[in-house]
Every structure is written in structure tokens, then in C-alpha cells.
Amino acid sequence: MPYAHITGWGMSIPQKILTNDDLAKMVDTNDAWIQERTGIRERHIAAENQSTASLGAEAALHALRVANLAPTEIDLIICSTSSPEHTFPATACLIQDAIGATRAGAFDLSAACSGFIFAVNMGAQTIKTGSAKNVLVIGAETLSRFVDWNDRNICILFGDGAGAFVLQASDRPGGVISSVMRSDGSGSDLLSLPAGGSKHPASEITVHTGMHFIHMDGKEVFRFATRVMAQATIEVAEKAGWKTADLALIIPHQANRRIIDAAARGLKLPMEKFMVNVERYGNTSTASIPIATVEAVQQGRLKPGDKVVMVGFGAGLTWGALAAEWSGPISTERKLAPEWYAWFAPARSLVRRAIRLLEGLFFGRKS
Ligand code: UT7
């Protein structure tokens, strides 16, 4: 059975920064409160011309570049998101088109902030069972579009961004070793975006009552998170045959610095073992773990051979973890930069649309 290695990683962050002081001009809050209760100093907000797919595509191209892979070599794209561009088509299909991954199947995965863990696990299983060789996993969010900017309980927390991994098959031992995926739908009301789905389609009432915004019972989510983070880390490490003391790094979902502190206490591990960057990005939901991973590599905190656990929690309720032996690129062959494929993607897309139109004109009437 092949191993599923993480061979590429990338991130994309919007330029626009919203600081705590900026928020204090919008709602009744202040920098000291936000920093003390969450650890967040600032977050990035997508510009009007940016979207979940555009941030996801940019992160994906960076990841492909690290892996030395061309978009056309990708077999499968999984995009984890809670802020998809549409109910359908999948945001993964838009990314597939934008980067020119012409051979790839693409679908979205919805498991909120735990989604990236679930998606990497799905990608790794697809490789291990032999149905794909190269998988692109993306976590992308523009949750700022679903935030009520008058709600101080919510608007201080979230930020936009995307991260991506390339997973590749190899006979060399390592890569994704074990995983834990859990859900408890009895807590579905604790964190939700109530309207816009089939239960509450958009109507004057849903818009008027703010049902298209994120709703959260922060205290309950906090309690749940502090309970499951340490538990899932221990479980996934045991499944891999490791002790938590063996871990070089733990990369937790970046929601609140206090939740990460609590996990460290629960695991009796020093904070130096945890990657934390919530202060600069806020909670980017499913994108937070890959973004933190990219920065951990950049800071030299994650090296080939290191044992790492990634652990997340979120709406659903969902939580999960994965244990991986860090790899690095396995393909050394230099390729045409992935960006080239992306530059030609709009022209290729246009040609395909034109062909469909002509086919409709010439053959459509016969059927
Ligand atoms: O990806 C998963 C997503 N969610 C999470 O991880 C969220 C988990 N929960 C949390 O991170 C925390 O519960 C929050 C940061 C959301 C809130 O922190 P807290 O320590 O649980 O605060 P609280 O809700 O108990 O509020 C304490 C006080 C309240 O005032 P009173 O009732 O004690 O007078 C709030 O009204 O702080 C007030 N408050 C604020 N004050 C200034 C609430 N939000 C703010 C604010 N600025 N932004």
C-alpha cells in the first residue's frame, strides 16, 4: 500500500488588515479585551475582487510550486470550506478551472473548522487505496462575508484566507500515518449559519432577522473545544504508535489563544510545542491549520522526519486530528511554473464554452 506524503504547501492571505482598534470604531469593544480573551490582534479581510475560490487557487498554486508538480498532474481536488462561492457548483471545480488542473476530479467538503483535517484524511485514504496519486487539498474561507459587523461577539473573531497541501503517493514510509474524525450533531445549534440552505432559503424574513450571519454560543463552543483538543491529540498519537512527548510540533486550529493554552495544559506540554499565529490572522476556520503549517515550515519549526499532529474543532459539532511524519517535496524534476497553467486557464475556459455553444447550435436541435 502506498504512503501519502505531504509534499507541497501554500497559503494566500488578503492584503487588507483589520486591527482591533479598527473594530473598536465599529462596535463597543477594545484592543485590550480582544487580546486578553482571544489573543487576536488583527485579521485580514478579502477585497471585493477576491473570493474563496481566488484565495484557494492562489494557495494551491504555491503548494504545487513547492511540490514541483504541474496542475495537470493532479488527480483529485478537495476543497474544504464553510464559505463556498455557491451552494453549487463546488468551489473546488472553480479552483480546478482557475489553475488548469484539467485531469482532476473536484469536490467540496463541509466540516467547518475541522474540515481541513477531514479533507487531508480523505485525500490520504484515496492515495493509500490506489485510486489517486496526486491530491490537492485546499482550505479556503471568506467568512467576513457572513459576519454581522454590528455583533461584537462574532466580528472580532474571524478573518479570511486560504491554505493548501499537495499529497503524493510514495513507497517510502512516512506522510499521513493516522487520523481521528468525530462529530456530535446534537451541538449543531451552537455554531451555525441558519439561512441560505434548503431549510431557510433566502427570504425577506431571513434577511431582516440576520439569519444569513454566523450565530454562535461562544461559551459552549469554548468548553467543547477545550475538552476535545487534548483528547483528539492523544488519540491520534496513540493510533500512530507515538507518545505525545515524541511530537516535534502540534498545529492546532487557530480560534482562540486561550483554547490552545488549555490544550497545552491538558497535554502537559510546553507552549513551544504549539504553533500559534492567531494573533495575526484571527480565526480563518478551515484555512487556519494549513496557514499555520506554512508559517511553521518558513520559521524552521517543521523539518523532514518530524512527527507532527494537526488538530481542529468546529461547527457540526466536528473535531479531528491527524498525525503525520513531515516529508517535503519528493519530485525534484523542474516543471513549468504552475502559474503558467493558471494564466492560460481563462482562454482555455473560453474555448470550452465556445465549443459547447457551437455543439448546441449544430447538434442541439437534432436531439
Ligand atoms: O472555530 C470555532 C469557532 N469559535 C470559537 O472557537 C469560539 C469559542 N469561544 C470563544 O472564543 C469565547 O467564548 C469568546 C471570545 C467568543 C468570548 O469570550 P468569553 O470570555 O467567553 O466572553 P463572554 O462571552 O463570557 O463575555 C464576557 C463579557 C460579557 O459582558 P458581561 O455580560 O459580563 O457584562 C460580554 O458582553 O464580555 C462582553 N463582551 C465583550 N466586551 C468587549 C463580549 N464580546 C465583547 C467584545 N468586546 N468584543
Side-chain angles (χ1 to χ4, degrees), residues 304-354:
D306 279 352
K307 292 180 170 64
V308 57
V309 162
M310 300 174 194
V311 56
F313 65 91
L317 300 166
T318 55
W319 65 102
L322 64 87
E325 208 173 283
W326 193 247
S327 307
I330 54 179
S331 163
T332 47
E333 193 189 331
R334 272 185 163 269
K335 302 272 167 54
L336 193 63
E339 285 77 7
W340 277 92
Y341 295 83
W343 285 329
F344 288 112
R348 198 182 42 246
S349 195
L350 211 66
V351 170
R352 288 205 166 157
R353 279 165 212 246

mmCIF file of all heavy atoms in Angstrom, residues 304-354:
data_model
loop_
_atom_site.group_PDB
_atom_site.id
_atom_site.type_symbol
_atom_site.label_atom_id
_atom_site.label_comp_id
_atom_site.label_asym_id
_atom_site.label_seq_id
_atom_site.Cartn_x
_atom_site.Cartn_y
_atom_site.Cartn_z
ATOM 1 N N PRO A 304 11.784 17.755 7.607
ATOM 2 C CA PRO A 304 11.556 16.373 7.190
ATOM 3 C C PRO A 304 11.909 15.389 8.306
ATOM 4 O O PRO A 304 12.931 15.527 8.973
ATOM 5 C CB PRO A 304 12.482 16.209 5.979
ATOM 6 C CG PRO A 304 12.576 17.598 5.420
ATOM 7 C CD PRO A 304 12.542 18.521 6.599
ATOM 8 N N GLY A 305 10.999 14.430 8.509
ATOM 9 C CA GLY A 305 11.208 13.425 9.556
ATOM 10 C C GLY A 305 10.514 13.766 10.860
ATOM 11 O O GLY A 305 10.316 12.900 11.720
ATOM 12 N N ASP A 306 10.126 15.042 11.051
ATOM 13 C CA ASP A 306 9.452 15.454 12.289
ATOM 14 C C ASP A 306 8.084 14.794 12.417
ATOM 15 O O ASP A 306 7.373 14.630 11.427
ATOM 16 C CB ASP A 306 9.238 16.983 12.303
ATOM 17 C CG ASP A 306 10.488 17.735 12.725
ATOM 18 O OD1 ASP A 306 11.466 17.085 13.154
ATOM 19 O OD2 ASP A 306 10.481 18.986 12.629
ATOM 20 N N LYS A 307 7.729 14.471 13.652
ATOM 21 C CA LYS A 307 6.388 13.954 13.932
ATOM 22 C C LYS A 307 5.491 15.144 14.299
ATOM 23 O O LYS A 307 5.824 15.910 15.209
ATOM 24 C CB LYS A 307 6.435 12.967 15.098
ATOM 25 C CG LYS A 307 7.163 11.678 14.775
ATOM 26 C CD LYS A 307 7.170 10.755 15.982
ATOM 27 C CE LYS A 307 7.665 9.368 15.640
ATOM 28 N NZ LYS A 307 9.071 9.310 15.206
ATOM 29 N N VAL A 308 4.392 15.282 13.580
ATOM 30 C CA VAL A 308 3.518 16.434 13.805
ATOM 31 C C VAL A 308 2.074 15.963 13.943
ATOM 32 O O VAL A 308 1.673 14.994 13.294
ATOM 33 C CB VAL A 308 3.672 17.469 12.647
ATOM 34 C CG1 VAL A 308 3.381 16.861 11.295
ATOM 35 C CG2 VAL A 308 2.788 18.688 12.854
ATOM 36 N N VAL A 309 1.340 16.639 14.825
ATOM 37 C CA VAL A 309 -0.112 16.403 14.922
ATOM 38 C C VAL A 309 -0.819 17.705 14.587
ATOM 39 O O VAL A 309 -0.434 18.777 15.062
ATOM 40 C CB VAL A 309 -0.507 15.912 16.337
ATOM 41 C CG1 VAL A 309 -2.005 16.092 16.587
ATOM 42 C CG2 VAL A 309 -0.154 14.439 16.502
ATOM 43 N N MET A 310 -1.847 17.605 13.726
ATOM 44 C CA MET A 310 -2.718 18.745 13.428
ATOM 45 C C MET A 310 -4.075 18.429 14.029
ATOM 46 O O MET A 310 -4.552 17.290 13.887
ATOM 47 C CB MET A 310 -2.824 18.948 11.913
ATOM 48 C CG MET A 310 -1.465 19.223 11.308
ATOM 49 S SD MET A 310 -1.490 19.311 9.530
ATOM 50 C CE MET A 310 0.276 19.205 9.191
ATOM 51 N N VAL A 311 -4.664 19.399 14.718
ATOM 52 C CA VAL A 311 -5.900 19.091 15.452
ATOM 53 C C VAL A 311 -6.877 20.266 15.364
ATOM 54 O O VAL A 311 -6.482 21.415 15.530
ATOM 55 C CB VAL A 311 -5.560 18.690 16.921
ATOM 56 C CG1 VAL A 311 -4.757 19.765 17.646
ATOM 57 C CG2 VAL A 311 -6.817 18.353 17.713
ATOM 58 N N GLY A 312 -8.145 19.939 15.057
ATOM 59 C CA GLY A 312 -9.119 21.024 14.886
ATOM 60 C C GLY A 312 -10.487 20.683 15.459
ATOM 61 O O GLY A 312 -10.766 19.525 15.787
ATOM 62 N N PHE A 313 -11.314 21.704 15.571
ATOM 63 C CA PHE A 313 -12.685 21.550 16.069
ATOM 64 C C PHE A 313 -13.533 22.617 15.405
ATOM 65 O O PHE A 313 -13.012 23.631 14.934
ATOM 66 C CB PHE A 313 -12.729 21.735 17.596
ATOM 67 C CG PHE A 313 -12.353 23.136 18.000
ATOM 68 C CD1 PHE A 313 -13.322 24.128 18.133
ATOM 69 C CD2 PHE A 313 -11.026 23.478 18.189
ATOM 70 C CE1 PHE A 313 -12.970 25.427 18.466
ATOM 71 C CE2 PHE A 313 -10.670 24.779 18.514
ATOM 72 C CZ PHE A 313 -11.641 25.757 18.655
ATOM 73 N N GLY A 314 -14.833 22.389 15.370
ATOM 74 C CA GLY A 314 -15.673 23.439 14.788
ATOM 75 C C GLY A 314 -17.140 23.081 14.773
ATOM 76 O O GLY A 314 -17.589 22.150 15.454
ATOM 77 N N ALA A 315 -17.876 23.848 13.965
ATOM 78 C CA ALA A 315 -19.325 23.682 13.879
ATOM 79 C C ALA A 315 -19.646 22.267 13.433
ATOM 80 O O ALA A 315 -18.859 21.590 12.781
ATOM 81 C CB ALA A 315 -19.904 24.695 12.908
ATOM 82 N N GLY A 316 -20.820 21.835 13.832
ATOM 83 C CA GLY A 316 -21.279 20.481 13.493
ATOM 84 C C GLY A 316 -22.057 19.819 14.606
ATOM 85 O O GLY A 316 -23.206 19.538 14.484
ATOM 86 N N LEU A 317 -21.456 19.650 15.752
ATOM 87 C CA LEU A 317 -20.032 19.883 16.071
ATOM 88 C C LEU A 317 -19.146 18.830 15.392
ATOM 89 O O LEU A 317 -19.591 17.685 15.196
ATOM 90 C CB LEU A 317 -19.798 19.821 17.587
ATOM 91 C CG LEU A 317 -20.595 20.856 18.401
ATOM 92 C CD1 LEU A 317 -20.569 20.523 19.864
ATOM 93 C CD2 LEU A 317 -20.032 22.265 18.162
ATOM 94 N N THR A 318 -17.936 19.222 15.050
ATOM 95 C CA THR A 318 -16.971 18.289 14.484
ATOM 96 C C THR A 318 -15.626 18.505 15.173
ATOM 97 O O THR A 318 -15.347 19.603 15.655
ATOM 98 C CB THR A 318 -16.754 18.557 12.981
ATOM 99 O OG1 THR A 318 -16.379 19.932 12.811
ATOM 100 C CG2 THR A 318 -17.994 18.273 12.148
ATOM 101 N N TRP A 319 -14.826 17.475 15.231
ATOM 102 C CA TRP A 319 -13.440 17.634 15.663
ATOM 103 C C TRP A 319 -12.611 16.493 15.078
ATOM 104 O O TRP A 319 -13.161 15.461 14.676
ATOM 105 C CB TRP A 319 -13.307 17.705 17.186
ATOM 106 C CG TRP A 319 -13.675 16.494 17.983
ATOM 107 C CD1 TRP A 319 -12.845 15.594 18.545
ATOM 108 C CD2 TRP A 319 -15.019 16.089 18.349
ATOM 109 N NE1 TRP A 319 -13.558 14.645 19.232
ATOM 110 C CE2 TRP A 319 -14.893 14.924 19.134
ATOM 111 C CE3 TRP A 319 -16.297 16.585 18.108
ATOM 112 C CZ2 TRP A 319 -15.990 14.248 19.658
ATOM 113 C CZ3 TRP A 319 -17.398 15.914 18.617
ATOM 114 C CH2 TRP A 319 -17.246 14.767 19.389
ATOM 115 N N GLY A 320 -11.329 16.727 14.975
ATOM 116 C CA GLY A 320 -10.495 15.687 14.373
ATOM 117 C C GLY A 320 -9.024 16.032 14.478
ATOM 118 O O GLY A 320 -8.651 17.162 14.814
ATOM 119 N N ALA A 321 -8.215 15.025 14.213
ATOM 120 C CA ALA A 321 -6.755 15.216 14.274
ATOM 121 C C ALA A 321 -6.090 14.283 13.276
ATOM 122 O O ALA A 321 -6.682 13.274 12.880
ATOM 123 C CB ALA A 321 -6.251 14.897 15.682
ATOM 124 N N LEU A 322 -4.896 14.673 12.863
ATOM 125 C CA LEU A 322 -4.120 13.724 12.063
ATOM 126 C C LEU A 322 -2.666 13.777 12.496
ATOM 127 O O LEU A 322 -2.151 14.827 12.914
ATOM 128 C CB LEU A 322 -4.295 13.964 10.569
ATOM 129 C CG LEU A 322 -3.844 15.233 9.906
ATOM 130 C CD1 LEU A 322 -2.396 15.140 9.480
ATOM 131 C CD2 LEU A 322 -4.728 15.452 8.676
ATOM 132 N N ALA A 323 -2.041 12.618 12.414
ATOM 133 C CA ALA A 323 -0.621 12.501 12.771
ATOM 134 C C ALA A 323 0.146 12.243 11.488
ATOM 135 O O ALA A 323 -0.249 11.394 10.685
ATOM 136 C CB ALA A 323 -0.413 11.340 13.739
ATOM 137 N N ALA A 324 1.203 13.003 11.290
ATOM 138 C CA ALA A 324 1.977 12.839 10.055
ATOM 139 C C ALA A 324 3.470 12.934 10.345
ATOM 140 O O ALA A 324 3.891 13.643 11.266
ATOM 141 C CB ALA A 324 1.591 13.902 9.032
ATOM 142 N N GLU A 325 4.233 12.184 9.562
ATOM 143 C CA GLU A 325 5.678 12.363 9.590
ATOM 144 C C GLU A 325 5.971 13.325 8.450
ATOM 145 O O GLU A 325 5.628 13.037 7.294
ATOM 146 C CB GLU A 325 6.346 11.008 9.351
ATOM 147 C CG GLU A 325 7.707 10.932 10.007
ATOM 148 C CD GLU A 325 8.259 9.525 9.899
ATOM 149 O OE1 GLU A 325 7.823 8.650 10.662
ATOM 150 O OE2 GLU A 325 9.101 9.325 9.013
ATOM 151 N N TRP A 326 6.544 14.455 8.780
ATOM 152 C CA TRP A 326 6.698 15.530 7.796
ATOM 153 C C TRP A 326 7.640 15.087 6.672
ATOM 154 O O TRP A 326 8.668 14.464 6.942
ATOM 155 C CB TRP A 326 7.210 16.806 8.478
ATOM 156 C CG TRP A 326 7.071 17.985 7.580
ATOM 157 C CD1 TRP A 326 8.085 18.697 7.019
ATOM 158 C CD2 TRP A 326 5.849 18.573 7.139
ATOM 159 N NE1 TRP A 326 7.554 19.694 6.246
ATOM 160 C CE2 TRP A 326 6.189 19.643 6.292
ATOM 161 C CE3 TRP A 326 4.497 18.308 7.359
ATOM 162 C CZ2 TRP A 326 5.234 20.444 5.669
ATOM 163 C CZ3 TRP A 326 3.542 19.091 6.744
ATOM 164 C CH2 TRP A 326 3.920 20.149 5.908
ATOM 165 N N SER A 327 7.283 15.412 5.438
ATOM 166 C CA SER A 327 8.059 14.884 4.318
ATOM 167 C C SER A 327 8.877 15.959 3.613
ATOM 168 O O SER A 327 10.079 16.085 3.820
ATOM 169 C CB SER A 327 7.120 14.235 3.301
ATOM 170 O OG SER A 327 6.293 13.289 3.927
ATOM 171 N N GLY A 328 8.199 16.768 2.796
ATOM 172 C CA GLY A 328 8.927 17.666 1.892
ATOM 173 C C GLY A 328 8.745 17.142 0.492
ATOM 174 O O GLY A 328 8.239 16.027 0.295
ATOM 175 N N PRO A 329 9.171 17.931 -0.514
ATOM 176 C CA PRO A 329 8.945 17.540 -1.908
ATOM 177 C C PRO A 329 9.593 16.204 -2.237
ATOM 178 O O PRO A 329 10.692 15.920 -1.762
ATOM 179 C CB PRO A 329 9.605 18.667 -2.698
ATOM 180 C CG PRO A 329 9.815 19.772 -1.739
ATOM 181 C CD PRO A 329 9.863 19.204 -0.369
ATOM 182 N N ILE A 330 8.899 15.370 -3.036
ATOM 183 C CA ILE A 330 9.537 14.130 -3.487
ATOM 184 C C ILE A 330 9.875 14.194 -4.975
ATOM 185 O O ILE A 330 10.657 13.420 -5.471
ATOM 186 C CB ILE A 330 8.699 12.866 -3.171
ATOM 187 C CG1 ILE A 330 7.281 12.962 -3.723
ATOM 188 C CG2 ILE A 330 8.659 12.592 -1.699
ATOM 189 C CD1 ILE A 330 6.438 11.712 -3.438
ATOM 190 N N SER A 331 9.268 15.164 -5.667
ATOM 191 C CA SER A 331 9.589 15.313 -7.083
ATOM 192 C C SER A 331 10.598 16.455 -7.218
ATOM 193 O O SER A 331 10.337 17.588 -6.791
ATOM 194 C CB SER A 331 8.310 15.635 -7.860
ATOM 195 O OG SER A 331 8.650 16.156 -9.104
ATOM 196 N N THR A 332 11.767 16.142 -7.791
ATOM 197 C CA THR A 332 12.807 17.172 -7.906
ATOM 198 C C THR A 332 12.869 17.727 -9.326
ATOM 199 O O THR A 332 13.580 18.691 -9.588
ATOM 200 C CB THR A 332 14.188 16.590 -7.533
ATOM 201 O OG1 THR A 332 14.335 15.359 -8.208
ATOM 202 C CG2 THR A 332 14.317 16.379 -6.036
ATOM 203 N N GLU A 333 12.132 17.094 -10.229
ATOM 204 C CA GLU A 333 12.154 17.493 -11.636
ATOM 205 C C GLU A 333 11.511 18.876 -11.772
ATOM 206 O O GLU A 333 10.370 19.086 -11.337
ATOM 207 C CB GLU A 333 11.324 16.466 -12.418
ATOM 208 C CG GLU A 333 11.478 16.539 -13.908
ATOM 209 C CD GLU A 333 10.421 15.626 -14.557
ATOM 210 O OE1 GLU A 333 10.034 14.630 -13.929
ATOM 211 O OE2 GLU A 333 9.974 15.960 -15.645
ATOM 212 N N ARG A 334 12.232 19.813 -12.366
ATOM 213 C CA ARG A 334 11.685 21.169 -12.514
ATOM 214 C C ARG A 334 10.597 21.191 -13.569
ATOM 215 O O ARG A 334 10.738 20.623 -14.633
ATOM 216 C CB ARG A 334 12.790 22.142 -12.912
ATOM 217 C CG ARG A 334 13.498 22.708 -11.705
ATOM 218 C CD ARG A 334 14.508 23.754 -12.110
ATOM 219 N NE ARG A 334 14.862 24.543 -10.960
ATOM 220 C CZ ARG A 334 14.242 25.653 -10.598
ATOM 221 N NH1 ARG A 334 13.225 26.099 -11.288
ATOM 222 N NH2 ARG A 334 14.635 26.325 -9.545
ATOM 223 N N LYS A 335 9.506 21.865 -13.271
ATOM 224 C CA LYS A 335 8.373 21.917 -14.203
ATOM 225 C C LYS A 335 8.120 23.367 -14.599
ATOM 226 O O LYS A 335 8.601 24.298 -13.954
ATOM 227 C CB LYS A 335 7.111 21.389 -13.506
ATOM 228 C CG LYS A 335 7.204 19.992 -12.966
ATOM 229 C CD LYS A 335 6.806 18.985 -14.015
ATOM 230 C CE LYS A 335 7.185 17.581 -13.630
ATOM 231 N NZ LYS A 335 6.700 17.136 -12.348
ATOM 232 N N LEU A 336 7.346 23.528 -15.649
ATOM 233 C CA LEU A 336 6.845 24.853 -15.997
ATOM 234 C C LEU A 336 6.090 25.378 -14.766
ATOM 235 O O LEU A 336 5.344 24.613 -14.139
ATOM 236 C CB LEU A 336 5.869 24.687 -17.170
ATOM 237 C CG LEU A 336 5.422 25.916 -17.937
ATOM 238 C CD1 LEU A 336 6.623 26.574 -18.609
ATOM 239 C CD2 LEU A 336 4.415 25.514 -19.013
ATOM 240 N N ALA A 337 6.300 26.624 -14.378
ATOM 241 C CA ALA A 337 5.659 27.146 -13.164
ATOM 242 C C ALA A 337 4.142 26.946 -13.235
ATOM 243 O O ALA A 337 3.550 27.187 -14.289
ATOM 244 C CB ALA A 337 5.989 28.616 -13.006
ATOM 245 N N PRO A 338 3.518 26.493 -12.128
ATOM 246 C CA PRO A 338 2.075 26.256 -12.130
ATOM 247 C C PRO A 338 1.289 27.490 -12.574
ATOM 248 O O PRO A 338 0.208 27.381 -13.156
ATOM 249 C CB PRO A 338 1.757 25.915 -10.675
ATOM 250 C CG PRO A 338 3.040 25.579 -10.034
ATOM 251 C CD PRO A 338 4.139 26.172 -10.838
ATOM 252 N N GLU A 339 1.864 28.693 -12.312
ATOM 253 C CA GLU A 339 1.180 29.941 -12.675
ATOM 254 C C GLU A 339 0.909 30.017 -14.182
ATOM 255 O O GLU A 339 -0.079 30.604 -14.609
ATOM 256 C CB GLU A 339 2.001 31.163 -12.247
ATOM 257 C CG GLU A 339 1.981 31.459 -10.748
ATOM 258 C CD GLU A 339 2.878 30.535 -9.937
ATOM 259 O OE1 GLU A 339 3.631 29.734 -10.536
ATOM 260 O OE2 GLU A 339 2.811 30.596 -8.688
ATOM 261 N N TRP A 340 1.801 29.397 -14.993
ATOM 262 C CA TRP A 340 1.597 29.414 -16.446
ATOM 263 C C TRP A 340 0.264 28.778 -16.800
ATOM 264 O O TRP A 340 -0.461 29.276 -17.649
ATOM 265 C CB TRP A 340 2.728 28.657 -17.154
ATOM 266 C CG TRP A 340 3.938 29.510 -17.353
ATOM 267 C CD1 TRP A 340 5.003 29.621 -16.507
ATOM 268 C CD2 TRP A 340 4.200 30.388 -18.450
ATOM 269 N NE1 TRP A 340 5.919 30.505 -17.000
ATOM 270 C CE2 TRP A 340 5.453 30.994 -18.202
ATOM 271 C CE3 TRP A 340 3.512 30.708 -19.603
ATOM 272 C CZ2 TRP A 340 6.009 31.904 -19.075
ATOM 273 C CZ3 TRP A 340 4.077 31.607 -20.474
ATOM 274 C CH2 TRP A 340 5.302 32.199 -20.209
ATOM 275 N N TYR A 341 -0.014 27.650 -16.133
ATOM 276 C CA TYR A 341 -1.277 26.943 -16.414
ATOM 277 C C TYR A 341 -2.450 27.843 -16.016
ATOM 278 O O TYR A 341 -3.476 27.869 -16.669
ATOM 279 C CB TYR A 341 -1.339 25.628 -15.632
ATOM 280 C CG TYR A 341 -0.285 24.635 -16.056
ATOM 281 C CD1 TYR A 341 1.009 24.705 -15.558
ATOM 282 C CD2 TYR A 341 -0.598 23.637 -16.964
ATOM 283 C CE1 TYR A 341 1.985 23.803 -15.947
ATOM 284 C CE2 TYR A 341 0.359 22.718 -17.369
ATOM 285 C CZ TYR A 341 1.654 22.814 -16.852
ATOM 286 O OH TYR A 341 2.610 21.919 -17.243
ATOM 287 N N ALA A 342 -2.268 28.563 -14.917
ATOM 288 C CA ALA A 342 -3.355 29.446 -14.438
ATOM 289 C C ALA A 342 -3.549 30.617 -15.400
ATOM 290 O O ALA A 342 -4.681 31.026 -15.655
ATOM 291 C CB ALA A 342 -3.029 29.946 -13.039
ATOM 292 N N TRP A 343 -2.438 31.135 -15.965
ATOM 293 C CA TRP A 343 -2.588 32.278 -16.889
ATOM 294 C C TRP A 343 -3.388 31.885 -18.135
ATOM 295 O O TRP A 343 -4.152 32.673 -18.666
ATOM 296 C CB TRP A 343 -1.203 32.803 -17.303
ATOM 297 C CG TRP A 343 -0.535 33.575 -16.224
ATOM 298 C CD1 TRP A 343 -1.143 34.341 -15.260
ATOM 299 C CD2 TRP A 343 0.878 33.674 -15.951
ATOM 300 N NE1 TRP A 343 -0.210 34.886 -14.410
ATOM 301 C CE2 TRP A 343 1.044 34.498 -14.808
ATOM 302 C CE3 TRP A 343 2.014 33.133 -16.550
ATOM 303 C CZ2 TRP A 343 2.279 34.789 -14.272
ATOM 304 C CZ3 TRP A 343 3.243 33.441 -16.012
ATOM 305 C CH2 TRP A 343 3.370 34.258 -14.885
ATOM 306 N N PHE A 344 -3.157 30.628 -18.587
ATOM 307 C CA PHE A 344 -3.865 30.191 -19.792
ATOM 308 C C PHE A 344 -5.271 29.670 -19.492
ATOM 309 O O PHE A 344 -6.033 29.409 -20.420
ATOM 310 C CB PHE A 344 -3.050 29.124 -20.541
ATOM 311 C CG PHE A 344 -1.839 29.716 -21.203
ATOM 312 C CD1 PHE A 344 -0.559 29.420 -20.783
ATOM 313 C CD2 PHE A 344 -2.006 30.620 -22.245
ATOM 314 C CE1 PHE A 344 0.552 29.999 -21.381
ATOM 315 C CE2 PHE A 344 -0.895 31.205 -22.855
ATOM 316 C CZ PHE A 344 0.377 30.889 -22.422
ATOM 317 N N ALA A 345 -5.595 29.509 -18.208
ATOM 318 C CA ALA A 345 -6.892 28.910 -17.842
ATOM 319 C C ALA A 345 -8.090 29.692 -18.390
ATOM 320 O O ALA A 345 -9.009 29.093 -18.948
ATOM 321 C CB ALA A 345 -6.985 28.729 -16.340
ATOM 322 N N PRO A 346 -8.113 31.049 -18.291
ATOM 323 C CA PRO A 346 -9.291 31.764 -18.799
ATOM 324 C C PRO A 346 -9.497 31.536 -20.299
ATOM 325 O O PRO A 346 -10.629 31.341 -20.750
ATOM 326 C CB PRO A 346 -8.971 33.235 -18.520
ATOM 327 C CG PRO A 346 -7.964 33.213 -17.438
ATOM 328 C CD PRO A 346 -7.174 31.958 -17.632
ATOM 329 N N ALA A 347 -8.396 31.508 -21.093
ATOM 330 C CA ALA A 347 -8.517 31.283 -22.534
ATOM 331 C C ALA A 347 -9.056 29.885 -22.797
ATOM 332 O O ALA A 347 -9.949 29.682 -23.615
ATOM 333 C CB ALA A 347 -7.159 31.464 -23.204
ATOM 334 N N ARG A 348 -8.506 28.897 -22.046
ATOM 335 C CA ARG A 348 -8.957 27.507 -22.237
ATOM 336 C C ARG A 348 -10.436 27.363 -21.874
ATOM 337 O O ARG A 348 -11.222 26.727 -22.554
ATOM 338 C CB ARG A 348 -8.107 26.579 -21.374
ATOM 339 C CG ARG A 348 -8.183 25.130 -21.792
ATOM 340 C CD ARG A 348 -7.356 24.249 -20.884
ATOM 341 N NE ARG A 348 -7.526 24.631 -19.500
ATOM 342 C CZ ARG A 348 -6.571 25.148 -18.750
ATOM 343 N NH1 ARG A 348 -5.374 25.324 -19.235
ATOM 344 N NH2 ARG A 348 -6.811 25.478 -17.511
ATOM 345 N N SER A 349 -10.820 28.029 -20.802
ATOM 346 C CA SER A 349 -12.209 28.002 -20.336
ATOM 347 C C SER A 349 -13.139 28.603 -21.400
ATOM 348 O O SER A 349 -14.210 28.080 -21.684
ATOM 349 C CB SER A 349 -12.288 28.803 -19.041
ATOM 350 O OG SER A 349 -13.448 28.554 -18.366
ATOM 351 N N LEU A 350 -12.661 29.691 -21.997
ATOM 352 C CA LEU A 350 -13.447 30.386 -23.029
ATOM 353 C C LEU A 350 -13.635 29.492 -24.254
ATOM 354 O O LEU A 350 -14.733 29.385 -24.809
ATOM 355 C CB LEU A 350 -12.707 31.666 -23.425
ATOM 356 C CG LEU A 350 -13.556 32.845 -23.873
ATOM 357 C CD1 LEU A 350 -14.409 33.359 -22.726
ATOM 358 C CD2 LEU A 350 -12.648 33.968 -24.400
ATOM 359 N N VAL A 351 -12.540 28.819 -24.657
ATOM 360 C CA VAL A 351 -12.614 27.914 -25.822
ATOM 361 C C VAL A 351 -13.619 26.800 -25.540
ATOM 362 O O VAL A 351 -14.459 26.456 -26.375
ATOM 363 C CB VAL A 351 -11.213 27.327 -26.143
ATOM 364 C CG1 VAL A 351 -11.311 26.210 -27.165
ATOM 365 C CG2 VAL A 351 -10.298 28.434 -26.639
ATOM 366 N N ARG A 352 -13.571 26.249 -24.325
ATOM 367 C CA ARG A 352 -14.506 25.159 -23.981
ATOM 368 C C ARG A 352 -15.949 25.640 -24.042
ATOM 369 O O ARG A 352 -16.838 24.943 -24.520
ATOM 370 C CB ARG A 352 -14.204 24.644 -22.584
ATOM 371 C CG ARG A 352 -12.922 23.871 -22.567
ATOM 372 C CD ARG A 352 -12.886 22.884 -21.439
ATOM 373 N NE ARG A 352 -11.786 21.950 -21.698
ATOM 374 C CZ ARG A 352 -11.183 21.241 -20.778
ATOM 375 N NH1 ARG A 352 -11.574 21.314 -19.551
ATOM 376 N NH2 ARG A 352 -10.207 20.434 -21.100
ATOM 377 N N ARG A 353 -16.193 26.849 -23.542
ATOM 378 C CA ARG A 353 -17.554 27.393 -23.587
ATOM 379 C C ARG A 353 -18.004 27.580 -25.033
ATOM 380 O O ARG A 353 -19.142 27.290 -25.384
ATOM 381 C CB ARG A 353 -17.608 28.750 -22.864
ATOM 382 C CG ARG A 353 -17.723 28.617 -21.367
ATOM 383 C CD ARG A 353 -17.403 29.932 -20.689
ATOM 384 N NE ARG A 353 -16.791 29.683 -19.391
ATOM 385 C CZ ARG A 353 -17.337 29.990 -18.238
ATOM 386 N NH1 ARG A 353 -18.500 30.574 -18.200
ATOM 387 N NH2 ARG A 353 -16.738 29.749 -17.107
ATOM 388 N N ALA A 354 -17.062 28.081 -25.863
ATOM 389 C CA ALA A 354 -17.387 28.318 -27.274
ATOM 390 C C ALA A 354 -17.723 26.994 -27.962
ATOM 391 O O ALA A 354 -18.693 26.905 -28.730
ATOM 392 C CB ALA A 354 -16.225 29.012 -27.969
#
